[in-house]
Amino acid sequence: MSGYSAPHCGSLRASDEGRDVELYGWVARRRDMGGVIFIDLRDRWGKVQVVFNPAVAPAAHEAASDLRSEFVVRVAGSVRRRPSGSENPRLETGDIEVAASDLEVLSPSEPTPFPLEDSEEPDEKTRLEYRYLDLRRPRMTRMLELRNKVNRIIRDYMEEREFIEVETPILTRSSPSGARDFLVPSRLHPAEFYALPQAPQMLKQLLMVSGVQRYYQIARCFRDENLRADRQPEFTQLDVEMSFCNEEDVFALIEGLFAKLWQETAGVTLAAPFPRLDIKESFLRYGSDKPDLRYELEIADLGDALGNTKADIFRKVLAADGVVRALSVPHGRDMARRELDELVTVAKGAGGQGLAWLPGGPLDKFLSEQEIESIKRLTMAGPDDLVLIAADRRRKAETVMGLIRQEIARRRKLIREGEWKFLWINPTYLFDEDDQGKLTYAHHPFTRPFAEDMSFVEERPYDVRAHAYDIVCNGYELGGGSLRIYDPGMQERVFQLLGMPLDVIRARFGTLLQAFTYGVPPHGGIAPGIDRIVMMLGGTDNIRDVIAFPKTQSMSDLMLGAPSEVDQSQLDELNIKVVPPKKDRS
Ligand code: ASP
């Protein structure tokens, strides 16, 4: 038997008429028409109808009566046109069928825990437990193929531009990327740990010191974060670093790549160059650093219009350095009270105070006519529109309005489905505020600040801009990167501003700082997320659909049963003593 070079079930066409074939595959469906038996035979390439006729091949017909779904079989037969009128336009092989002369069952199948052919999606927990069966479903096979194609296009594109793929270690040392590390104990170095890479950030920068000049890697990254719907603890990114480059070089490289990916997998021509928006404007106009531009709904700042207002709610917020932001809902004037209440709940859910609205709300009597006119002008509200207003600290008001903007677009069906709205967020800020209100890095500590902004870094650190960029599409961040600091003095300064003591800097980043004293080219890079790209191209919102063997939201692998307990002897070798989790301690 050599099915390897046999024709594929799913690739047979009318042009194969008359051909004798040997096919290998899984029984997708069997229909006994009282006499003649039909099966759909499936392989990775699709399905073909096979006919067993007792008058022509009695032994094969006899064997076919015992077939059940998902049996693995070998069929010999000849390709013929289907009788006129019985073609199936929904199958690519639908013009033909295979008249069987021989059938061999290679492996039977128990009834599967869910049907592998139904268009209805089985329950996800069961899918993940039996992932090897789930992947046999045509929809999932297409996802595996798409992901493979995306990786191949990426590799071809990068190689054409003389980038080389360099593999970096998985057992490595912690390098900050804003999340918790996964640690791996070391048998040979008791009480010491490797970290799995959150990203190969320091290594790719060191490769620039090595003179690689153009590096890429389809790199696995690990981040021990609480999972959100579109995150996985291990994910894959196209990691890129290049020497002697500026932002324009990175933008052109990535725009070309996305254009090629969209063209070759979806037949979509993207309009490049992609628009750019600086982060301040992005938050102001869209309330987000990853705005969805498939709808308008721009947010306006009402600070100027309300400078002398008597309305208490606004006066107090503005006096305390807060902001008042608003957007107008097209044809929202007759919005039902219930919908307004729901929007207020959304605003409060984001930590906001709520929402005010015009006209028809209590505000009507607190604002002057002139103020109302200015608000209408700033929000470009027409007579049928409703203006929604949030007043709060800047960050809060922006987050609230950003969410309200999305909510309105969704509820009122304003999203232009089918459009691909790519943009760059650039420049961004160097620093961010952490949960405790302390200065932290917005991207990672290797990001190059605007040199001219460093003169006021002590007084106004949050205003310091960075040579950093994110690529955004339809409301999702697809990747980010930056030009890097290459002056060791500047790198040390940034570490110090971040409050890192000198000994910590030396221990964690000494290698990089030292490497930078041996001739470092100016460099920069980016890392688009491959899972997210495949999700978009595959038309799914579920990141687990594009990963062959994903983890659940609680980070478990339901198929292999990971994580799992290990043998005591393994722990002993590692010098590890397990302390029972708190809730079990008495
Ligand atoms: N290493 C960064 C990340 O994973 C991307 C970059 O700056 O190139 O987010």
Side-chain angles (χ1 to χ4, degrees), residues 61-73:
H61 177 268
E62 173 73 31
S65 350
D66 295 333
L67 290 179
R68 296 288 175 272
S69 286
E70 305 309 323
F71 277 33
V72 178
V73 299

Side-chain angles (χ1 to χ4, degrees), residues 176-178 429-434 436-449 454 457-458 461-462 464 485 489-502 504-505 508-509:
S177 279
Y429 291 118
L430 188 64
F431 296 116
D432 205 350
E433 209 178 44
D434 71 10
Q436 279 90 49
K438 269 186 28 210
L439 196 74
T440 183
Y441 43 82
H443 196 55
H444 51 57
F446 314 110
T447 304
R448 193 188 307 167
M454 287 305 275
V457 68
E458 307 281 350
Y462 294 111
V464 174
I485 298 170
M490 168 72 89
Q491 185 66 75
E492 242 182 84
R493 175 120 199 264
V494 168
F495 286 141
Q496 278 168 352
L497 284 163
L498 289 166
M500 290 186 197
L502 221 55
V504 173
I505 298 175
R508 291 182 68 184
F509 308 109

Side-chain angles (χ1 to χ4, degrees), residues 456-471:
F456 56 76
V457 68
E458 307 281 350
E459 304 87 68
R460 290 184 286 122
Y462 294 111
D463 289 341
V464 174
R465 289 163 299 163
H467 291 282
Y469 30 78
D470 283 335
I471 184 157

